[in-house]
């Protein structure tokens, strides 16, 4: 099964939901509407209005009652899916609720399937070690989940796919550990020399070592937390994916910087978020433009994590 039923998916960081505004999102072929009230509580319903099928996400949130009003006839639904008609709440839920699990700022769901593995406890470690800088991406890729998993566990592609961003000339995996649905990759990335103009444009490059150490902690299938050791501390890019439909995958990145840099936070966060946007766009571009898959006629070094993630994907799909 392309959507790995029973897998936990991280679908949003709370900051991605504006207060009292419906947000449409699609997972495993189903449309849902999410909204967050002023207290930060999040509700999630099937996006199909049970009356005549209007898109609830085109409606509006009623602040006082914490309900969503349908854009067609204005019937309101609470977070349990109960309709309010002529000021009376119908006790039986009519709109289907999406079960979500809120872990601090992170919103997870099993997309209403029977849970098969627990939600990974990645958030605590990441949030305790870093300051949230913002979100990159948050768009759909026209490619199946498998291709997005592959690129997130591919330690050869940065040299080519992201060559203009990082100028890596060589990448080496120092260690690869895996157990069940979790893995850790220690990787060394060697950079090419920068040109004088590049240093002028971005003097920060001067402080960057020639070899950059990174540790990726992978929580199959939803997230890859990529920690890069910079001269200023660890920057953690959390790559998040979930399946929208058989041939569409959603992607976003949560970025954590090592500490507060006072007045420079805004500039630094913007820089990190822009870089994240570029990374995700470059990944999307390459996996959206692959020819139909065939048995690869050659192999590259560093493919152990790629093999690992593919095996988990196919074992899961075959077991369903
Ligand atoms: S279609 Fe939603 S209230 Fe009529
Ligand atoms: Fe990439």
């Amino acid at each position: 099964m392309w959507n790995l039923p029973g897998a936990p998916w991280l679908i949003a960081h709370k900051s991605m939901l504006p207060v009292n505004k419906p947000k449409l999102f699609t997972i495993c072929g189903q449309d849902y509407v999410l909204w967050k009230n002023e207290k930060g509580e999040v509700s999630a319903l099937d996006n199909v209005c049970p009356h005549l099928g209007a898109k609830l996400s085109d409606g509006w949130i009623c602040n006082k009652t914490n309900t969503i009003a349908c854009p067609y006839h204005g019937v309101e639904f609470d977070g349990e899916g109960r309709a309010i008609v002529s000021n009376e709440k119908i006790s039986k839920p009519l709109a289907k609720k999406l079960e979500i699990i809120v872990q601090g700022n992170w919103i997870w769901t099993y997309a209403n399937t029977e849970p098969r593995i627990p939600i990974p406890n990645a958030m605590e470690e990441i949030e305790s070690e870093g300051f949230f800088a913002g979100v990159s991406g948050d768009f759909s890729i026209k490619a199946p989940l498998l291709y997005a998993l592959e690129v997130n566990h591919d330690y050869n592609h940065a040299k080519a796919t992201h060559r203009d961003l990082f100028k890596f000339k060589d990448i080496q995996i120092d260690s690869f550990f895996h157990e069940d649905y979790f893995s850790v990759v220690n990787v060394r990335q060697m950079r090419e020399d920068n040109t004088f103009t590049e240093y002028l444009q971005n003097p920060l490059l001067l402080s960057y070592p020639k070899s950059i150490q990174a540790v990726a902690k992978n929580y199959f299938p939803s997230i890859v937390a990529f920690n890069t050791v910079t001269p200023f501390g660890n920057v953690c890019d959390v790559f998040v994916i979930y399946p929208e439909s058989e041939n569409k995958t959603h992607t976003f990145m949560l970025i954590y910087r090592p500490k507060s840099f006072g007045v420079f936070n805004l500039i630094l966060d913007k820089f990190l978020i822009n870089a994240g946007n570029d990374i995700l766009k470059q990944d999307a571009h390459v996996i959206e433009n692959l020819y139909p898959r065939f048995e690869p006629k050659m192999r590259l070094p560093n493919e152990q994590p790629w093999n690992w993630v593919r095996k988990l994907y196919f074992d899961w799909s075959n077991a369903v």
Side-chain angles (χ1 to χ4, degrees), residues 6 9 93 107 116 129 138 149 156 234 240 244 280 284 293:
W9 301 105
I107 304 166
R116 214 172 122 178
E129 286 174 8
D138 199 17
L149 281 170
N156 295 307
N234 256 5
V240 188
E244 286 193 10
L280 294 180
R293 189 55 65 82

Side-chain angles (χ1 to χ4, degrees), residues 22 80 90 171 196 202 224 227 230 236-237 272 283 294 300:
E80 298 298 318
I90 302 173
I171 297 175
F196 184 66
N202 184 4
V224 167
N227 297 276
T230 77
C236 180
D237 289 337
L272 292 171
D283 284 336
F294 48 84
L300 295 176

Side-chain angles (χ1 to χ4, degrees), residues 83-102:
I84 297 165
V85 181
S86 320
N87 288 330
E88 290 284 319
K89 201 176 256 188
I90 302 173
S91 56
K92 189 167 150 276
L94 295 175
K96 212 166 134 216
K97 189 178 162 184
L98 172 71
E99 295 299 337
I100 52 171
I101 302 103
V102 180

Side-chain angles (χ1 to χ4, degrees), residues 49 51-54 56 70 72-75 77:
C49 175
H51 178 217
L52 291 183
L56 290 180
C70 174
Y72 199 170
H73 309 99
V75 172
F77 299 91

Side-chain angles (χ1 to χ4, degrees), residues 18-183:
V19 174
N20 288 335
K21 282 236 168 73
K23 177 170 164 135
L24 167 71
F25 92 108
T26 307
I27 188 165
C28 300
Q30 279 283 309
D31 283 353
Y32 296 95
V33 59
L34 276 181
W35 74 93
K36 178 176 82 175
N37 68 9
E38 277 159 357
K39 288 189 221 150
E41 296 159 344
V42 181
S43 305
L45 293 179
D46 191 325
N47 201 36
V48 184
C49 175
H51 178 217
L52 291 183
K55 283 186 175 166
L56 290 180
S57 57
D58 287 343
W60 64 95
I61 305 302
C62 308
N63 197 356
K64 275 200 196 118
T65 43
N66 192 24
T67 49
I68 186 163
C70 174
Y72 199 170
H73 309 99
V75 172
E76 290 173 34
F77 299 91
D78 70 6
E80 298 298 318
R82 294 174 294 211
I84 297 165
V85 181
S86 320
N87 288 330
E88 290 284 319
K89 201 176 256 188
I90 302 173
S91 56
K92 189 167 150 276
L94 295 175
K96 212 166 134 216
K97 189 178 162 184
L98 172 71
E99 295 299 337
I100 52 171
I101 302 103
V102 180
Q103 237 191 18
N105 283 313
W106 290 19
I107 304 166
W108 293 86
T109 186
Y110 285 95
N112 286 354
T113 60
E114 194 58 43
R116 214 172 122 178
I117 57 173
I119 289 174
N121 49 5
M123 188 211 70
E124 246 170 64
E125 188 181 321
I126 293 168
E127 295 224 314
S128 65
E129 286 174 8
F131 283 71
F132 182 58
V135 182
S136 297
D138 199 17
F139 58 80
S140 304
I141 311 172
K142 285 187 231 67
L145 175 74
L146 177 63
Y147 289 6
L149 281 170
E150 286 177 348
V151 79
N152 280 358
H153 295 263
D154 185 313
Y155 288 82
N156 295 307
H157 82 288
K159 276 192 288 186
T161 308
H162 307 303
R163 66 190 179 285
D164 58 328
L165 281 178
F166 303 124
K167 298 190 84 174
F168 292 141
K169 62 177 173 196
D170 198 15
I171 297 175
Q172 271 173 29
I173 292 181
D174 285 339
S175 69
F176 173 50
F177 161 86
H178 60 93
E179 187 174 36
D180 300 332
Y181 296 97
F182 174 68
S183 74

